[in-house]
Amino acid sequence: MFVFGAGIFGAQTASAVDRLYEKSGGNVTGEVTATDKKGVQLKKGSSTKTYLSGEILKILFEGDPSGLTKGREFALDGQYDQALEELKKVDSDSIKREVIKADWVFYTAMSQAKLALAGKGAKDAAATAMVSFAGKFRDSWHIFDAAKLLGDLALALNKPENAMSYYKLLSQSQSPDTKVESVYLQGRVNLIEGDDKEALDKFDKIIGIAAGTTSIARIQTLAKAGKAVALTKSGKSGEGLKLVKELIAELNPDDIEMAARIYNAQGASYEASGDKEGAILAYLHTHLMFSSQPDAHAEALLRLIELWPQVGQPQRAAEARGELQQRYPGVK
């Protein structure tokens, strides 16, 4: 596991015109003069402004090789195979600025991690690549994104304790959005470890804050889905079902992660209440409509493997097991 450095800014000496894109939709040009895990300093004229890492969507650097420019866009668009194809074209020896090299290494490791999480690569190798990035570029503004991906990979490798450690690192961010996400992700690990009370405490903490951004509002909805599962596991399936029905009524089906987690929460609630058919229908929503969220899809398949024989459909269970083994080898 990597450990963050002290977080001091590392100066960049090259004079350049870079363009920083914010998650809020704005963009600004200037010279990136320094970076650390908390963000970047952008100089424009005689003034310098700090942008927090959690607020940055991407940065286009002057001097980016074309393979990085294209690969970065593919990666941010979720097209990780194409991203790697472009990123592999980059000659690292030709990269003159350290911030550009850090971007190239990060997006390569990110794409490998995302593919591995989707069952298209070795998770341990992807984790090794991301740890290598974090060790070499401790002052990169991508460090918190790296920590989250390492947490996701740790969960996929059935190492929840490691995942918890990585997710806790996100709390060091200066971005309110990232701090809230850290609490949510820790709550998810609590659920996996069977600590329903601690999970409920974390989810309620998130739900009770004022949502200052759309990102926090989204995490609050995810926390409600997590709360529904925690309620169900603690013997309150009725409350869990009531909550999840409210979430489904407001569901945006274009948000794949949100939809998958909500329908899995519904499946867990139905299952706990003894409604096997209802549970199957809920998990089938995730399986058939939201399978691009790997961890939630694998969870749905695991539950379907258990539930199909209980309603007299062993062949359907065998089909679900075959897909699980094909798409997510190693998941049991």
Side-chain angles (χ1 to χ4, degrees):
M1 183 184 299
F2 71 87
V3 178
F4 289 157
I8 59 174
F9 281 95
Q12 306 295 330
T13 59
S15 177
V17 178
D18 309 310
R19 183 176 294 275
L20 182 150
Y21 290 79
E22 299 174 274
K23 290 180 180 178
S24 61
N27 67 83
V28 60
T29 58
E31 180 189 352
V32 173
T33 57
T35 71
D36 76 354
K37 67 178 185 289
K38 296 177 182 178
V40 307
Q41 289 183 355
L42 190 76
K43 183 178 180 181
K44 188 178 179 71
S46 60
S47 63
T48 299
K49 181 177 179 180
T50 297
Y51 292 84
L52 299 179
S53 56
E55 299 171 350
I56 302 170
L57 175 63
K58 64 182 178 182
I59 304 174
L60 305 185
F61 296 101
E62 183 177 299
D64 277 346
S66 62
L68 173 57
T69 301
K70 295 175 183 177
R72 180 192 291 120
E73 295 304 318
F74 278 128
L76 292 172
D77 196 40
Q79 301 181 63
Y80 304 113
D81 284 314
Q82 295 93 321
L84 285 177
E85 287 182 13
E86 294 297 332
L87 293 165
K88 287 177 181 177
K89 298 176 183 178
V90 174
D91 176 10
S92 61
D93 292 336
S94 68
I95 299 176
K96 305 303 181 185
R97 300 175 66 189
E98 193 74 358
V99 286
I100 297 178
K101 185 169 291 187
D103 244 34
W104 172 63
V105 176
F106 171 73
Y107 284 111
T108 300
M110 169 193 170
S111 298
Q112 292 171 339
K114 291 289 189 178
L115 288 171
L117 289 167
K120 299 179 181 179
K123 299 179 185 67
D124 52 356
T128 298
M130 190 60 77
V131 168
S132 176
F133 158 77
K136 292 178 181 177
F137 301 100
R138 293 176 181 271
D139 287 332
S140 170
W141 67 273
H142 291 297
I143 285 292
F144 291 121
D145 290 328
K148 182 181 182 302
L149 282 167
L150 282 166
D152 295 345
L153 287 165
L155 280 184
L157 289 165
N158 299 313
K159 298 178 179 179
E161 290 185 3
N162 287 356
M164 181 67 84
S165 297
Y166 286 124
Y167 291 152
K168 283 182 177 179
L169 290 173
L170 300 182
S171 66
Q172 297 180 16
S173 171
Q174 298 299 302
S175 166
D177 293 16
T178 306
K179 286 182 178 292
V180 172
E181 185 178 29
S182 174
V183 177
Y184 165 69
L185 292 170
Q186 291 176 56
R188 279 191 57 211
V189 177
N190 290 142
L191 274 182
I192 291 170
E193 293 183 317
D195 192 345
D196 305 326
K197 182 181 183 303
E198 186 61 32
L200 273 172
D201 288 344
K202 286 188 172 68
F203 294 142
D204 279 334
K205 179 180 179 181
I206 294 169
I207 294 167
I209 66 176
T213 65
T214 56
S215 175
I216 291 179
R218 179 179 181 276
I219 296 171
Q220 286 179 314
T221 302
L222 286 168
K224 289 178 181 179
K227 179 178 180 177
V229 176
L231 286 168
T232 293
K233 288 187 172 184
S234 60
K236 300 177 181 179
S237 59
E239 292 182 40
L241 272 174
K242 180 181 178 182
L243 178 55
V244 82
K245 285 179 180 178
E246 294 173 359
L247 295 174
I248 289 175
E250 302 173 356
L251 179 66
N252 174 11
D254 293 330
D255 190 332
I256 302 299
E257 179 186 6
M258 184 79 70
R261 300 211 187 284
I262 289 174
Y263 275 109
N264 278 5
Q266 185 186 48
S269 299
Y270 275 132
E271 195 173 354
S273 68
D275 185 350
K276 296 180 177 60
E277 289 82 2
I280 287 172
L281 287 174
Y283 290 127
L284 279 174
H285 268 89
T286 299
H287 171 46
L288 298 175
M289 299 175 64
F290 308 112
S291 62
S292 58
Q293 182 62 35
D295 60 336
H297 184 219
E299 178 186 348
L301 288 171
L302 282 168
R303 299 314 310 143
L304 288 169
I305 290 169
E306 294 292 325
L307 287 165
W308 278 125
Q310 298 178 38
V311 295
Q313 296 283 348
Q315 181 58 36
R316 299 293 297 273
E319 293 171 359
R321 182 177 290 105
E323 180 153 359
L324 180 72
Q325 293 173 345
Q326 179 182 6
R327 293 193 59 169
Y328 312 107
V331 175
K332 299 179 181 180

